[in-house]
Amino acid sequence: MQTTSRIKRFNELFSGLEDCNEDEQRKKIGKMNEIVDGMNKKEFESVFKTELYDKMYEMIEERKLSMESSLVLLKSVGCYKALKGILIFDFERSSLYIVLEKMIVEEDLKKKEEKNEKLLADLCECHLLLSGWFSSKFLSICVPCLLKVALNKDESKEAQKDVEMSLLALSNVEHYELGKELYLNEIKEIIKYHQEHRNLMRLAYQSAWEFLICRLYFDKSLEKVISNELHFAREATRELEEQTRNMDWKKKEEEMDKEEANEVLIIRRWIKTLEIYFSCCQLWNEEYVGLFNSIVQIYRAAKDNCRGISYQFICLLRSFATNRALKIDDLLESEAVGSVLEEVTQLHVIDEQTSNYLDFFKRLCERLNSESKMESDTAKRKELKRKVLEKMEEGGYEDFIIGFSCCKIIRQHFFYYLVPFIDDYFVY
């Protein structure tokens, strides 16, 4: 379906909701959700304006659209927005946003026997998926409510879809501080149960980790739980490997079918989670080496056709080189250095990716220089240097020299300059 016809069809279905009974509305909304799922970002942003949400509010107020039916559509819209990382704030400027918040508070204040738990969960999911900011008041209601949904161990497809949606909504709560009493025991139980029973869908499991790891921004003590108790690096390694095992990396991203595109989307989310973790982590874990190698294998497989993913991976490797919780020996013994070196030796185009490759080595050299200065033993300093040089020799000095022949040109085009002491490690 082409862009104009897709938008036109959605608007026609939306306009027709006023003249339908509830059953017909549900059918139309089902078709609308399918259209939303096939939209690109530009189409999505052109359709879901404040005016559309205000119109939904009017229809609800005039009893031309039930709240239950509208929540089905809103959850689909919020899911798309969260998965695609769309940062638009039209919903927050609408009348529907205010009504949604009011309903959450009112439902939460009801006595237990009067409370509609399903309605409250739906309202909370829409709030967290569609909104760009949250107050502590609403987080204190929504987080426990959705964790309760996510704790459901029923393995039916419908129940697990509810679990997935609740965890995806929670993963949207990024830069907000939460008291441990609101979430820690519950999210640990969800992750541990999955590790034993493998009950969660892939997106749900990744979302559970993302929600927990975002809490590291405010509470570094969680790292022991995440790294040593829940074994994040081991789990991320396994998930990435399973996620990519059946991927056809010979296809370009635009040629992939819907299922393959969804797999790529989840890989991208794992990369984001890893970036958050390694920007905060301070503890070394022996499971990191396996994770490095897994990342490198996916990077190598995807680099020719999926440039978006390969770009994300090289940025991730750059952050590894800077993080002092990661041992230099682990980086050198992993395949990360050799993989980036392979690319450097074949550089022909000066672009942002070229800059990222060189910046990886720049950061690595800064680490090596810093650690060698701290090392008083001359023999150990020489050994450190020898390890790097051996890595360079594996690729061949001649190719390596050719690859770095562009360095003087790079200096003129990018902010990332090579460090003065790079001669200690690179020959050019």
Side-chain angles (χ1 to χ4, degrees):
M1 190 184 294
Q2 297 198 354
T3 295
T4 51
S5 60
R6 196 153 36 211
I7 293 174
K8 182 180 178 182
R9 179 61 179 150
F10 180 91
N11 289 332
E12 286 174 350
L13 288 167
F14 181 77
S15 298
L17 290 175
E18 293 182 277
D19 305 318
C20 300
N21 60 38
E22 193 161 346
D23 286 340
E24 291 171 331
Q25 283 181 350
R26 289 293 181 107
K27 290 178 182 177
K28 285 194 174 184
I29 287 172
K31 293 177 181 178
M32 291 163 69
N33 287 343
E34 290 178 8
I35 295 172
V36 171
D37 194 41
M39 285 181 175
N40 57 42
K41 287 186 180 183
K42 187 175 180 180
E43 292 167 348
F44 182 91
E45 291 171 357
S46 71
V47 169
F48 293 98
K49 300 286 191 181
T50 302
E51 293 77 15
L52 182 138
Y53 297 119
D54 284 338
K55 180 62 178 176
M56 286 184 70
Y57 167 70
E58 289 177 17
M59 292 164 67
I60 293 167
E61 283 289 288
E62 295 170 4
R63 300 185 183 280
K64 295 178 179 178
L65 177 65
S66 71
M67 177 56 74
E68 288 74 14
S69 294
S70 66
L71 289 175
V72 173
L73 175 59
L74 289 174
K75 282 207 287 185
S76 176
V77 174
C79 180
Y80 182 100
K81 184 179 176 184
L83 289 175
K84 302 293 184 179
I86 295 176
L87 298 175
I88 54 173
F89 304 102
D90 291 73
F91 177 71
E92 290 88 333
R93 292 189 283 267
S94 71
S95 305
L96 192 57
Y97 172 78
I98 298 169
V99 172
L100 210 66
E101 287 198 331
K102 183 181 177 183
M103 289 184 67
I104 289 171
V105 173
E106 289 175 350
E107 197 63 40
D108 182 62
L109 289 173
K110 289 180 181 179
K111 294 179 181 178
K112 186 175 181 180
E113 58 272 16
E114 299 174 349
K115 190 177 296 187
N116 185 333
E117 298 283 358
K118 177 69 168 66
L119 175 61
L120 180 59
D122 287 343
L123 290 166
C124 289
E125 284 173 4
C126 288
H127 181 57
L128 295 189
L129 287 168
L130 287 165
S131 303
W133 55 79
F134 318 104
S135 69
S136 56
K137 175 182 179 181
F138 285 99
L139 288 177
S140 68
I141 298 172
C142 293
V143 170
C145 172
L146 296 185
L147 283 171
K148 185 176 180 181
V149 175
L151 280 164
N152 186 359
K153 297 178 175 62
D154 181 350
E155 294 190 14
S156 68
K157 188 174 181 180
E158 183 179 352
Q160 284 307 301
K161 195 63 184 173
D162 288 340
V163 169
E164 181 181 64
M165 187 64 74
S166 65
L167 288 170
L168 177 62
L170 286 167
S171 74
N172 214 34
V173 182
E174 294 186 354
H175 306 291
Y176 290 86
E177 187 171 6
L178 298 172
K180 287 181 182 178
E181 69 281 358
L182 282 179
Y183 70 89
L184 187 56
N185 290 337
E186 291 81 359
I187 200 69
K188 280 172 60 178
E189 181 180 343
I190 290 166
I191 290 173
K192 284 184 173 181
Y193 189 84
H194 176 78
Q195 288 174 350
E196 185 176 349
H197 298 92
R198 301 296 171 197
N199 64 306
L200 296 177
M201 298 178 182
R202 293 195 187 283
L203 177 60
Y205 191 46
Q206 184 280 324
S207 296
W209 274 115
E210 186 165 334
F211 169 76
L212 177 57
I213 285 172
C214 281
R215 313 282 71 81
L216 270 174
Y217 283 126
F218 305 97
D219 189 349
K220 295 298 189 290
S221 68
L222 289 171
E223 193 177 351
K224 290 182 179 178
V225 173
I226 292 169
S227 299
N228 300 334
E229 183 180 345
L230 298 177
H231 300 281
F232 170 67
R234 181 195 69 193
E235 291 296 295
T237 302
R238 186 186 56 76
E239 285 294 310
L240 285 171
E241 290 177 350
E242 288 190 7
Q243 198 82 28
T244 60
R245 188 168 290 128
N246 298 318
M247 288 289 295
D248 182 1
W249 292 110
K250 293 180 181 179
K251 289 183 181 179
K252 294 185 182 296
E253 287 188 73
E254 58 270 19
E255 297 172 346
M256 292 180 176
D257 59 30
K258 183 178 178 181
E259 185 176 345
E260 289 172 319
N262 286 338
E263 296 291 307
V264 169
L265 187 148
I266 297 174
I267 293 170
R268 288 183 183 279
R269 286 176 60 86
W270 270 111
I271 297 171
K272 177 187 172 186
T273 305
L274 287 163
E275 287 174 341
I276 296 169
Y277 178 74
F278 283 107
S279 70
C280 298
C281 80
Q282 299 172 344
L283 295 175
W284 177 82
N285 187 298
E286 61 184 7
E287 296 168 353
Y288 291 157
V289 176
L291 178 58
F292 297 158
N293 289 334
S294 177
I295 288 169
V296 169
Q297 292 306 315
I298 300 170
Y299 164 73
R300 282 177 166 168
K303 65 184 177 65
D304 291 330
N305 293 315
C306 299
R307 298 297 291 176
I309 283 189
S310 66
Y311 177 81
Q312 284 183 281
F313 273 125
I314 193 63
C315 289
L316 186 57
L317 292 175
R318 283 170 50 201
S319 68
F320 288 167
T322 306
N323 191 313
R324 295 189 178 277
L326 310 181
K327 294 183 178 180
I328 282 288
D329 280 354
D330 289 340
L331 278 171
L332 297 177
E333 289 170 11
S334 75
E335 299 178 26
V337 174
S339 181
V340 179
L341 178 58
E342 287 174 9
E343 295 302 309
V344 170
T345 59
Q346 299 175 46
L347 291 177
H348 300 295
V349 179
I350 300 171
D351 57 13
E352 191 173 1
Q353 192 75 319
T354 303
S355 174
N356 288 330
Y357 293 141
L358 297 180
D359 194 46
F360 170 81
F361 285 112
K362 170 184 175 288
R363 295 181 185 209
L364 183 61
C365 285
E366 287 172 341
R367 284 283 308 278
L368 288 163
N369 187 63
S370 173
E371 294 187 18
S372 66
K373 281 182 178 177
M374 290 188 290
E375 180 57 67
S376 58
D377 189 328
T378 303
K380 288 185 178 180
R381 287 204 306 272
K382 288 182 178 179
E383 176 64 14
L384 186 64
K385 179 177 175 179
R386 184 189 63 77
K387 285 184 178 181
V388 185
L389 293 177
E390 283 184 354
K391 275 288 179 186
M392 303 304 108
E393 284 179 336
E394 288 175 12
Y397 274 119
E398 184 176 352
D399 289 340
F400 187 68
I401 292 165
I402 293 169
F404 266 91
S405 65
C406 63
C407 287
K408 291 180 181 178
I409 302 172
I410 294 292
R411 290 173 184 269
Q412 299 170 18
H413 290 269
F414 295 103
F415 177 75
Y416 302 119
Y417 300 110
L418 298 177
V419 290
F421 47 83
I422 200 166
D423 291 5
D424 289 344
Y425 302 98
F426 297 156
V427 178
Y428 65 102

